[in-house]
Amino acid sequence: MLSLDLGEAPERSIPLFHGLSKRQARVFALMSETQQLRAGERLFSAGDQGNEMFIIIDGKLVASVEREGQAVELGRLARGDVVGEVALFRSEEHTSEL
């Protein structure tokens, strides 16, 4: 990938990039694997084995769990939020759906 748009001032608007220059944030992102989801597409499900973390660069995600056949929303995530980090460090199953 030769180009990656991190939006305006990623070193200020994405907490994980705080303390980095704009160029360093871009190098970090280019060295990472990017993933694009369509509206309504699931990132992972509860019970999936996790070994990665995700940083939301653009858009929004809804975290939910299924209870009695219904999706129960736990929260909404947006630019700069990090998800999956616990599974990354502990190799555990995800506990919610995103």
Side-chain angles (χ1 to χ4, degrees):
M1 180 181 298
L2 298 176
S3 173
L4 180 62
D5 183 6
L6 295 176
E8 189 172 331
E11 71 283 4
R12 291 193 312 266
S13 60
I14 299 176
L16 189 65
F17 295 158
H18 284 193
L20 300 179
S21 69
K22 187 173 187 175
R23 182 179 178 162
Q24 289 170 323
R26 186 173 164 71
V27 167
F28 175 89
L30 286 169
M31 292 175 63
S32 304
E33 183 179 328
T34 60
Q35 191 170 0
Q36 288 186 312
L37 302 175
R38 286 181 250 139
E41 189 175 0
R42 187 170 286 154
L43 181 60
F44 56 75
S45 295
D48 288 352
Q49 190 66 35
N51 62 356
E52 67 276 314
M53 74 178 205
F54 302 91
I55 305 165
I56 302 171
I57 302 299
D58 187 35
K60 296 181 177 159
L61 290 175
V62 176
S64 65
V65 293
E66 189 173 318
R67 296 288 184 252
E68 299 175 7
Q70 300 272 346
V72 176
E73 185 177 312
L74 299 174
R76 294 179 179 259
L77 304 152
R79 180 174 174 81
D81 288 332
V82 175
V83 295
E85 70 280 7
V86 173
L88 170 69
F89 294 113
R90 293 187 180 176
S91 291
E92 293 183 356
E93 293 178 352
H94 292 291
T95 57
S96 63
E97 297 179 350
L98 286 169

